[in-house]
Amino acid sequence: MTTEAAEPAADIPPFRYTAELAGEIEIRWQDRWAERGTFRAPNPVGPLADPGHPRADAEKLFVLDMFPYPSGAGLHVGHPLGYIGTDCYARYQRMVGRNVLHTMGFDAFGLPAEQYAVQTGTHPRTTTEANIGYYRSQLRRLGLGHDDRRSVATIDTDYYRWTQWIFLQIYNSWYDSVAARARPIAELVAEFEAGTRATPDGRGWAELSPTERRRIVDDHRLAYVSQAPVNWCPGLGTVLANEEVTPDGRSDRGNFPVFKRNLKQWMMRITAYGDRLIEDLDALDWPEPIKLQQRNWIGRSTGAHIEFPTAAAPIRVFTTRPDTVFGATYMVLAPEHPLVESLAADAWPGGTRDAWTGGQATPRAAVDAYRKAAGVKTDIERQAENREKTGVFIGAYASNPVNGAQIPIFIADYVLAGYGTGAIMAVPGQDERDWEFAEVFELPIVRTVQPPKNFDGKAYPGEGPAINSAAPDGGLDLDGLFIADAKAKIIEWLEANGHGSGAVTYRLRDWLFSRQRYWGEPFPIVYDEQGNPVALPESMLPVELPEVDDFAPRTFDPEDADSDPETPLSRRKDWVEVELDLGDGPKRYTRETNVMPQWAGSCWYELRYLDPTNPDRFVDPANERYWMGPQSPGDPGGVDLYVGGQEHAVLHLLYARFWHKVLYDLGHVSSFEPYRRLYNQGMIQAYAFQNDRGGYVEAAEVEEVDGKYYFGEQQVTRVYGKMGKSLRNVVTPDEMCEAYGADTFRVYEMSMGPLDVSRPWETRAVIGAYRFLQRVWRTMVDEQTGELRVTDAPADEQTRRLLHRIVDGVRGDLDGIRMNTAIAKLIELTNGLTRLDATPREVAEPLLLMLSPFAPHVAEELWQRLGHAESLAYEPFPVADPSLLVAETVTYPVQVNGKVRGRVEVPAEAAEEAIRTAALAAVADQLAGREPRKVIVVTGRMVSVVA
RNA sequence: GCUCCGGUAGCCCAACGGCAGGAGGCAGCGCGCUCAAAACGCGCACAGUGUGCGUUCGAAUCGCACCCGGAGCACCA
C-alpha cells in the first residue's frame, strides 16, 4: 500500500531539493563537521597546536564578529547577517589557502539577566546559560564554520579570572608621559626611592609617611579610586560612564534621568592614552565615520593655558586661540567655578551697568540667584532656550596679562565646568558665542584678526593677519602675523613671562569603571583597615562572584538625585569581610563590593579566542604574535576583519583599544591595536503595521492588495522599524530554516545587497534564493530518479568561457566582501547550465566550490555525490584560466557624437587602425560622407566618432 | 546649524568615465507542465540613473549648487 494518493506532496518530484531535504542534508553535515572538527584552526603552540593540520604552516587570517549578548528573545533574522558574512568570507579564505580563525563567544554579563533575576528570583547565571544554549543551537543550525573549541563566555570563571588579571595589570601600572607608555608601578616606586624622580612637594621619599607615599603612588595608577562627580542614575541604582549617558542627560539603558554626584568610584585613566588613541586611528583600516566619532569623542584641542591675575588667585583659562588674547575684553567663569566664591564682590563697583546685575542688589546675591536658576534647568531646557546668552557680573575684574587692561568677570552657563579649566577669556571679535554675549551685555568688541574686505558677519573666526595686537610698552607685537605664527609667538611670550604655556586638552574623561550591580566581574581588590585599596595577588584569582539572595541594587525614585548607591554584594557580610595573608601576616580586610561594567569582558575577548584553554596565561605570546602580530613595519597588528554594528563606535571600540594598548605597553601583546580592519554591517529592519488605534498587528498576517495593507478586513498602515516584539514584526532564522533550509536563508541574506547596507527584510523574496539552489541541484541530480546528471564529457567552449569569467569575478567579489554580486554571478553560471542536457563535471565541480562559502551544506552534499570522500572546506578555490578570459572577438559599440550608432565585431588582437577602419565603415551612413573630426579608439572597449 | 553616507524599473540591488540587451533577485504579465491548482520551467514587459549647471569625444559615474532620505555632532573655548 502506498501513501501517494493521500500525500499532496506526492507529485513533487521525489528527488527535488525541498526544504525537508535541505534540512536533512544540513543537520547531517553539521553533525559531520562537528565530529571531524572541520573548522578547527591550529595554533602555533599549546594544546590547540596541530602540526598535521592542512593549514598548520599557512598564512593566517583572523575573522571576528562582535560577540552577542544572549538575550532571552533569541536571534531574529537581522542578527546573523554579519555572522553569515564573516562565515562566507572565512570559508572562502580557507579555500584560498589561509589558516582561518573564526569562532563565536558570548558577552554574557549585563543588565537584562539581572533585571529578569530581580523580577523572578531566577539566578542570572541560570537564565544566561540557558540563553547561551539557545543561541548556540540557533547559530549551529545556520551552519557557521566556527572553531567550537574557542568559544568563550565572559561569565565563565575561567574567563573572568583573566579579566580580573588584566585589571590588576592596569592597577599596577602608571603612565610615563615622557616615555609615552604605561610602565609597572614598581618602576615608579623605584624611581622615587632612588631620588631620580621628584615627589610632588619636593620632599625626599624617605621623609614621607607610608600613607603619603601610598597616596602619591595611587595617584599615578591607571586604575584608581576617585572621589569625583560621576553620573548617578537612581532609576538604575548605579553610576554610569560618560559614554553611557545620552546627550540629553539620560541613561543609555532604560532612559532614566542621570545626575552629577560626588561619589567614590573606580576610574580608569584612559585620558593618558588620548593622544595615542587619536594618532593610531591613522594606522587602522576602519570606516571613516567611526574614526571621526572617536576623534570627536576624544576631542583633542591644542592651544594654551593663560593666567589672568585678579584680586584673589589668578584665573587660569584654556584657549585654542591664544593669538587673540589682545581681543579678550571680559572673562567668563562657569557658575560652579571654585574662584567665584572668593572673587564675588560685596557691592557693585562704580560703573556697573544695570543689565549686568541680574536685578540683584549685590554681586553675591546675583551669583546665588544665577546659580540657583542654572541648577534648576535640565540640560534639555538649556538647549531648548535657543542658546540665548545669560549671565551675571560678579563685581570683580581681571587683568589682561598682555596689556594690563582691567576686564570684567562674569559667570555664565555657556561656559562648562567640565571642560578645560571651566573658565574662558572672552574674545568676541573672533568667537561667535562671545560676540553674542557681548551684544547682550554691551561689552566692548576688539577685532584682532583682519577679516576679508567683503566680510559682513559678526565674529570672524577665519584666517587673516593679526591687528590691534601690540602691547603699549612696545614689547610684544603680533600685528601682521597669521594665526599659526601668532600662536607660536604668543605661546613663547607667555612661557617666557610666566603667564601661561602651550597646552593640549581633551573632551575625553577618565572611564568610570565601577557599577553597583550584581551580575558582573568582582574586583580583585580588598580594603585594609585604613580603607586603602589593596590588590589581591594573582594566586588568589579568580575572585568568584558569590551567591546572594537579592540580586537588585537598591533603586530609587528616578528623580531622587540625593539618594546613595548600595551594592548587592555589600549585603553578603560573610563574603565582604575576610581574613587574608597578603604577605604581612593574616589581617582583616573588606572586599570591594562594586562590580566591573559590562564592557570589561568585551575589552579583550579576541585575545582569549587565540588560546582559550591556556591555564597559565591569558594568551601565549607565540599564539598572539601569530594571529594578531604586526605583519609589516608600521602595521598595528590586530584582527584581520572585525564585523559588527556601528552602535559601538565609541563605547566598546574605544575601551578595547585602551586595554589593548596597556597590554602592549606592558609587553603582553605584540600588536598595538586590537582590530586592524573594521567593517560595519548594515541593519536589517522590517515593516510593521498599525491599525487605526495605533496598535501594532502581527506583520506576518498582513496582506497587500493593490498597494494597500489589510489585517483581515481591517486596513492598516505600514511603518518601518527595528525588528522586535513591540512592533510584532519579528522573523526568526528558525522559521526560515524550517521553510527553506539554512542554505537558502544564507544565500538570501547575502544576496539582498552589500553587507554594509541596511535594508528591509522581505520574507516573500526568500523564494528567489530557494529557486536558485533548486536549479543548482537540478543541474546535477535528476529530480525523478535521483541519478547524477553530471557528465565527464568536456564542456562546450561557450560554457567553459562563461565558467572562467565567473570564477574570475567571484574571486574578485569575495576578496572585496561583495557577496551579493558574487551570488549574482553564480546564478548567471547556473542559468547557463540549465540549458544543457547534462552538466559537465569540469563546470559542476568549480560551481560547487564557489557556492560552498554561501550554501555550504548543499555544496558539500553534491560534492560528495560527485565522488569526493573529503569535505570541500579545504579544497582549493577555483582559479580562472587567463587565456579563457579574453574573447576571440570583441564587439565594439561605435558612438557618433556620443550616441551608439553601430557595432563592429573584430578579432580581439586587432590593431587600433583596423578597429578604426571597421568602425568607420559601420557608421558610414551616419557620417554621410563627411570626414570625422576625431576618432577615439578605446581598445577593448569602444569607438567614439566626433562628426 | 555643522559633518558624513545615500538617491538607478513597483521593491531590494549591478555597473562607479566607455553599449543601462540593467549582473542578479522579488513582485507583475504570458506560455509550457497539470483534470485543476501549487511547485517548477520558458519567455515578456517595465527605468534612462533625485534636480540644474559644468568638465569631456563620451557622465549614473568627475566638479559645483540645490532637493529628498538616513546617521553622527551640537554652546568643548
Side-chain angles (χ1 to χ4, degrees):
Chain A
M1 180 178 161
T2 70
T3 56
E4 275 178 24
E7 188 64 61
D11 44 351
I12 290 178
F15 297 95
R16 172 164 290 178
Y17 180 78
T18 59
E20 289 80 7
L21 178 58
E24 186 266 310
I25 290 170
E26 286 162 7
I27 302 295
R28 182 149 43 79
W29 278 97
Q30 284 155 15
D31 289 344
R32 200 168 299 179
W33 292 328
E35 283 159 21
R36 297 180 183 174
T38 304
F39 302 110
R40 296 182 170 186
N43 270 355
V45 301
L48 270 48
D50 179 7
H53 190 282
R55 295 288 184 270
D57 297 313
E59 190 189 338
K60 64 89 188 184
L61 187 85
F62 185 9
V63 177
L64 182 70
D65 299 280
M66 287 187 187
F67 65 166
Y69 175 83
S71 86
L75 297 170
H76 68 236
V77 293
H79 292 123
L81 180 69
Y83 309 157
I84 295 170
T86 50
D87 190 48
C88 294
Y89 187 71
R91 285 173 181 267
Y92 164 69
Q93 291 290 341
R94 191 176 290 113
M95 293 173 80
V96 300
R98 298 206 166 86
N99 183 19
V100 179
L101 172 39
H102 192 208
T103 188
M104 178 66 75
F106 298 93
D107 187 18
F109 277 126
L111 270 183
E114 184 177 300
Q115 283 166 340
Y116 185 77
V118 170
Q119 285 160 25
T120 64
T122 316
H123 197 285
R125 180 168 292 282
T126 310
T127 36
T128 306
E129 285 177 350
N131 291 347
I132 289 174
Y134 181 36
Y135 264 60
R136 283 217 163 96
S137 70
Q138 281 189 303
L139 293 172
R140 179 190 158 99
R141 184 65 187 85
L142 298 177
L144 301 173
H146 293 154
D147 184 337
D148 53 313
R149 305 166 304 171
R150 298 177 186 265
S151 181
V152 299
T154 54
I155 57 168
D156 296 342
T157 315
D158 192 43
Y159 181 88
Y160 73 69
R161 135 192 209 154
W162 294 109
T163 308
Q164 292 171 338
W165 181 85
I166 295 171
F167 175 87
L168 290 179
Q169 301 303 307
I170 297 170
Y171 176 79
N172 285 318
S173 305
W174 61 292
Y175 200 79
D176 180 342
S177 51
V178 176
R181 65 181 181 86
R183 294 171 59 192
I185 202 82
E187 294 180 15
L188 178 75
V189 175
E191 287 187 15
F192 281 131
E193 281 170 351
T196 52
R197 173 173 291 269
T199 58
D201 64 3
R203 284 185 291 161
W205 189 248
E207 301 166 43
L208 302 177
S209 72
T211 310
E212 286 172 320
R213 289 183 199 164
R214 246 206 97 95
R215 179 145 310 136
I216 291 169
V217 171
D218 285 354
D219 281 349
H220 282 81
R221 294 180 189 273
L222 288 181
Y224 62 98
V225 178
S226 115
Q227 175 87 36
V230 295
N231 306 299
W232 165 236
C233 180
L236 288 173
T238 186
V239 295
L240 298 170
N242 288 349
E243 289 82 357
E244 293 169 306
V245 180
T246 60
D248 58 351
R250 299 181 83 87
S251 62
D252 198 30
R253 291 238 167 87
N255 200 34
F256 292 110
V258 172
F259 302 91
K260 282 283 177 199
R261 281 290 307 279
N262 257 312
L263 294 171
K264 205 168 140 190
Q265 297 294 333
W266 281 95
M267 307 291 286
M268 290 233 169
R269 208 177 297 280
I270 190 172
T271 50
Y273 283 82
D275 276 330
R276 283 165 64 187
L277 288 169
I278 284 186
E279 278 156 19
D280 290 346
L281 285 173
D282 294 337
L284 297 176
D285 181 4
W286 283 19
E288 276 308 320
I290 302 288
K291 289 190 185 184
L292 187 66
Q293 280 185 65
Q294 293 221 339
R295 286 195 191 99
N296 288 343
W297 187 262
I298 296 165
R300 174 165 62 183
S301 304
T302 56
H305 282 125
I306 305 179
E307 293 196 346
F308 287 68
T310 70
I315 297 174
R316 184 175 159 86
V317 304
F318 174 74
T319 175
T320 57
R321 293 293 303 276
D323 58 302
T324 64
V325 63
F326 283 94
T329 53
Y330 63 101
M331 311 217 43
V332 185
L333 307 182
E336 303 87 345
H337 195 284
L339 276 179
V340 173
E341 286 305 323
S342 47
L343 282 173
D346 295 321
W348 295 114
T352 300
R353 294 168 203 259
D354 286 349
W356 294 8
T357 64
Q360 300 292 324
T362 67
R364 288 196 180 280
V367 166
D368 287 346
Y370 188 77
R371 280 181 168 174
K372 197 169 279 178
V376 171
K377 279 189 273 184
T378 65
D379 287 349
I380 309 167
E381 283 167 340
R382 284 191 195 188
Q383 284 174 31
E385 278 170 22
N386 211 13
R387 294 181 195 166
E388 179 143 331
K389 295 288 178 288
T390 59
V392 292
F393 179 46
I394 66 170
Y397 291 84
S399 167
N400 189 329
V402 290
N403 57 13
Q406 292 297 300
I407 57 179
I409 305 169
F410 288 76
I411 57 171
D413 64 4
Y414 85 94
V415 172
L416 310 175
Y419 185 77
T421 62
I424 63 158
M425 63 175 202
V427 187
Q430 276 78 229
D431 184 285
E432 283 173 29
R433 297 155 299 181
D434 295 344
W435 183 290
E436 283 172 32
F437 191 87
E439 280 195 329
V440 173
F441 292 92
E442 295 173 19
L443 288 154
I445 294 169
V446 178
R447 286 196 192 278
T448 59
V449 175
Q450 181 66 54
K453 284 195 184 63
N454 55 356
F455 181 77
D456 59 355
K458 295 178 172 177
Y460 176 69
E463 180 61 278
I467 54 172
N468 302 322
S469 294
D473 60 14
L476 178 63
D477 184 355
L478 304 176
D479 283 346
L481 295 178
F482 281 77
I483 294 174
D485 292 337
K487 278 185 184 174
K489 189 166 181 183
I490 184 69
I491 289 172
E492 193 184 320
W493 184 88
L494 290 168
E495 290 177 351
N497 293 278
H499 294 302
S501 56
V504 178
T505 61
Y506 300 89
R507 200 185 83 116
L508 180 71
R509 309 278 88 177
D510 276 345
W511 175 18
L512 177 75
F513 195 70
S514 40
R515 296 293 182 279
Q516 292 72 50
R517 316 229 41 121
Y518 173 72
W519 193 226
E521 298 89 346
F523 282 73
I525 292 284
V526 293
Y527 294 88
D528 64 19
E529 282 164 336
Q530 289 76 47
N532 295 311
V534 181
L536 293 171
E538 270 182 60
S539 60
M540 291 190 185
L541 300 185
V543 177
E544 289 198 46
L545 190 59
E547 298 301 315
V548 295
D549 297 327
D550 181 3
F551 306 108
R554 208 163 141 213
T555 56
F556 303 88
D557 179 334
E559 305 290 343
D560 184 2
D562 296 326
S563 48
D564 280 310
E566 179 188 301
T567 64
L569 293 184
S570 64
R571 300 186 203 117
R572 269 289 304 264
K573 294 281 181 259
D574 58 329
W575 179 80
V576 172
E577 287 167 23
V578 283
E579 190 175 278
L580 299 169
D581 184 349
L582 298 180
D584 45 2
K587 285 186 175 171
R588 296 200 60 77
Y589 295 92
T590 55
R591 292 188 187 273
E592 172 62 60
T593 64
N594 283 291
V595 296
M596 299 187 197
Q598 181 168 12
W599 312 105
S602 59
C603 274
W604 72 284
Y605 71 112
E606 70 282 351
L607 290 164
R608 193 60 181 171
Y609 282 171
L610 307 181
D611 211 356
T613 57
N614 191 328
D616 305 318
R617 282 191 61 83
F618 73 112
V619 58
D620 188 285
N623 289 331
E624 189 275 334
R625 217 178 306 123
Y626 172 72
W627 289 111
M628 288 179 70
Q631 303 296 299
S632 58
D635 177 33
V639 172
D640 297 292
L641 178 67
Y642 191 27
V643 175
Q646 263 182 303
E647 64 275 17
H648 293 112
V650 287
L651 289 158
H652 158 61
L653 290 172
L654 197 63
Y655 298 148
R657 293 181 66 213
F658 164 52
W659 275 37
H660 201 90
K661 286 182 183 303
V662 178
L663 291 171
Y664 172 79
D665 286 352
L666 298 176
H668 296 304
V669 295
S670 66
S671 44
F672 64 81
E673 282 285 339
Y675 315 117
R676 177 195 286 113
R677 181 178 184 195
L678 176 71
Y679 189 99
N680 289 126
Q681 97 262 14
M683 206 195 308
I684 293 183
Q685 301 194 82
Y687 293 110
F689 299 90
Q690 283 178 298
N691 59 27
D692 49 14
R693 292 185 309 281
Y696 288 95
V697 302
E698 202 56 53
E701 290 165 30
V702 171
E703 289 182 356
E704 183 183 349
V705 182
D706 296 332
K708 290 175 179 157
Y709 302 95
Y710 295 91
F711 179 68
E713 295 295 299
Q714 190 181 21
Q715 192 175 338
V716 290
T717 51
R718 191 174 81 164
V719 295
Y720 184 56
K722 281 186 183 175
M723 257 187 207
K725 228 190 268 179
S726 58
L727 298 190
R728 302 183 73 174
N729 61 351
V730 173
V731 181
T732 65
D734 314 57
E735 296 168 61
M736 292 300 108
C737 290
E738 173 71 23
Y740 300 101
D743 282 333
T744 293
F745 175 65
R746 292 169 57 112
V747 169
Y748 174 63
E749 290 230 333
M750 290 297 100
S751 65
M752 291 164 82
L755 192 58
D756 56 357
V757 168
S758 293
R759 66 215 86 169
W761 175 262
E762 194 178 8
T763 296
R764 68 177 183 179
V766 179
I767 191 89
Y770 188 53
R771 287 179 189 149
F772 162 52
L773 295 182
Q774 282 183 327
R775 252 176 288 143
V776 171
W777 182 268
R778 200 180 301 118
T779 60
M780 303 192 198
V781 176
D782 188 296
E783 290 190 325
Q784 296 300 332
T785 64
E787 300 285 311
L788 270 188
R789 294 190 58 235
V790 174
T791 167
D792 289 330
D796 63 84
E797 185 68 9
Q798 189 195 348
T799 307
R800 183 177 290 161
R801 283 182 179 276
L802 173 65
L803 169 69
H804 285 265
R805 204 189 84 220
I806 298 292
V807 166
D808 185 57
V810 168
R811 274 188 167 252
D813 287 343
L814 279 169
D815 286 332
I817 319 187
R818 293 185 298 269
M819 323 302 176
N820 54 326
T821 51
I823 289 170
K825 289 181 177 76
L826 294 176
I827 293 172
E828 204 182 340
L829 175 59
T830 305
N831 292 349
L833 293 177
T834 54
R835 289 189 290 273
L836 307 177
D837 296 326
T839 302
R841 179 177 286 269
E842 71 166 279
V843 182
E845 295 199 339
L847 171 59
L848 292 176
L849 294 174
M850 289 190 288
L851 180 66
S852 68
F854 309 104
H857 313 87
V858 69
E860 289 270 26
E861 179 70 14
L862 289 170
W863 183 252
Q864 187 192 28
R865 291 189 186 209
L866 289 183
H868 300 280
E870 289 299 318
S871 162
L872 47 61
Y874 292 87
E875 285 295 319
F877 202 82
V879 181
D881 177 347
S883 70
L884 291 170
L885 294 177
V886 288
E888 290 165 328
T889 63
V890 182
T891 304
Y892 282 87
V894 185
Q895 289 182 351
V896 179
N897 294 336
K899 298 280 182 214
V900 178
R901 299 297 186 192
R903 289 168 206 286
V904 285
E905 187 166 322
V906 297
E909 66 279 6
E912 189 174 313
E913 194 49 42
I915 301 167
R916 179 194 175 99
T917 308
L920 286 176
V923 294
D925 53 330
Q926 291 286 329
L927 295 171
R930 279 172 294 157
E931 192 59 25
R933 283 198 288 157
K934 198 172 178 185
V935 180
I936 297 129
V937 178
V938 187
T939 313
R941 286 289 190 178
M942 50 98 64
V943 180
S944 185
V945 179
V946 189

